[in-house]
Amino acid sequence: MGRSPCCEKAHTNKGAWTKEEDDRLIAYIRAHGEGCWRSLPKAAGLLRCGKSCRLRWINYLRPDLKRGNFTEEEDELIIKLHSLLGNKWSLIAGRLPGRTDNEIKNYWNTHIRRKLLSRGVDPVTHRPINEQPPANITISFEKGDEDCKISALEKPFKLQEPQFKIPDLNLELCISPPFQEEPLIKPVKREAGVCFSCSLGLPKSPECKCSNFLGLSSGFLDFRSVEMK
DNA sequence: AAGCAAGTCAACCGCCTCGGA
DNA sequence: CTCCGAGGCGGTTGACTTGCT
């Protein structure tokens, strides 16, 4: 027996939401809060799949959404976060108040990709397009793969080199402490409460009280500053 | 004005993760 | 420990809009 579908597709609407459906969903969530999405459509009198309701609320109806164009600062932040996290849109969205993962994903694919390409930067690797990847480096993450072990032991110093980045490695970096064995640049002890702008090397905000943090300007990025939700 | 191509973005699909039974 | 269901996520689709010929 297979998994039961998330909703009874035969009796659900699909496609664009109507004003009335939006109103019903907003009214229900205002009254009861976000809760069990599976049972919400029936309770709210909507002929929609629970997932569809959730998506509509999160991506479009939530009152805290910031509609409108992305600012230049947001652009740069997205680019930096993408270089660290890859296509982890929800994580990126978590750092941009009022923006949704779907919005950022669309914006990336329509605007930022082109922007980076026009700068001569590969939007996937964040490296110059005409730069040849280093020869004879093959990294595999297959378990038991000897190449993987060798490469992982031989190449960690590469993390200190801004010109060399392994895109698939980014995700690992963001959830793992930086390589610690004989670091070329000794990490300075992080002060408590470093704001996210400083951790990314962005200009300080007026309320920023951080000091002495190794941001991008110092050439060393503390990947642990990008915390999971 | 009409037709077409390219761009945009809301919504869907299917897989993955996590927590509870 | 295993199974199952719900929620969450990223990739993709397709309807709609805009710009160009």
Side-chain angles (χ1 to χ4, degrees):
Chain A
M1 192 178 83
R3 175 179 293 188
S4 63
C6 74
C7 50
E8 216 181 319
K9 293 188 190 270
H11 300 104
T12 54
N13 293 340
K14 285 176 76 172
W17 280 64
T18 64
K19 178 82 174 60
E20 191 192 341
E21 287 177 312
D22 282 350
D23 291 343
R24 277 181 186 270
L25 182 57
I26 292 168
Y28 183 87
I29 292 178
R30 275 192 186 145
H32 303 94
E34 293 178 45
C36 178
W37 293 109
R38 191 183 170 93
S39 60
L40 184 148
K42 196 176 177 184
L46 288 163
L47 293 174
R48 289 279 179 175
C49 162
K51 278 187 171 188
S52 182
C53 293
R54 175 185 160 270
L55 214 60
R56 181 65 177 170
W57 174 254
I58 288 175
N59 287 333
Y60 203 81
L61 299 175
R62 248 169 49 197
D64 59 325
L65 288 181
K66 189 199 288 181
R67 313 294 302 179
N69 295 339
F70 283 74
T71 64
E72 195 60 36
E73 287 74 31
E74 285 176 312
D75 275 19
E76 293 306 319
L77 183 54
I78 291 169
I79 291 167
K80 280 187 172 154
L81 286 167
H82 187 271
S83 72
L84 291 170
L85 301 169
N87 294 357
K88 299 289 169 190
W89 305 116
S90 61
L91 288 176
I92 295 172
R95 297 298 178 178
L96 285 142
R99 302 295 187 185
T100 71
D101 52 358
N102 207 34
E103 193 179 11
I104 293 170
K105 177 173 59 184
N106 283 332
Y107 187 65
W108 176 271
N109 287 325
T110 56
H111 293 87
I112 300 184
R113 269 175 60 88
R114 225 176 302 145
K115 187 173 178 176
L116 290 178
L117 287 170
S118 72
R119 289 181 188 173
V121 175
D122 187 325
V124 178
T125 63
H126 293 266
R127 291 168 51 204
I129 287 168
N130 55 6
E131 184 181 321
Q132 293 298 316
N136 75 1
I137 290 181
T138 53
I139 294 189
S140 161
F141 291 98
E142 301 265 334
K143 275 184 183 165
D145 186 326
E146 291 306 306
D147 282 345
C148 172
K149 290 173 191 168
I150 291 166
S151 299
L153 287 170
E154 288 180 350
K155 302 300 177 189
F157 68 91
K158 290 289 186 184
L159 301 180
Q160 313 295 338
E161 296 180 11
Q163 295 307 311
F164 181 85
K165 212 183 280 174
I166 304 160
D168 288 343
L169 214 48
N170 286 342
L171 179 58
E172 294 300 317
L173 291 172
C174 74
I175 58 173
S176 307
F179 183 72
Q180 291 293 316
E181 190 182 333
E182 297 290 323
L184 296 181
I185 304 171
K186 287 196 175 172
V188 171
K189 191 180 173 188
R190 232 178 107 190
E191 296 191 5
V194 173
C195 75
F196 188 64
S197 295
C198 289
S199 70
L200 281 175
L202 296 174
K204 284 191 170 215
S205 59
E207 54 273 16
C208 172
K209 297 182 178 65
C210 309
S211 63
N212 198 26
F213 177 72
L214 286 172
L216 292 179
S217 56
S218 61
F220 183 83
L221 182 65
D222 187 339
F223 294 95
R224 285 168 299 183
S225 63
V226 183
E227 293 165 354
M228 295 295 177
K229 273 194 290 196

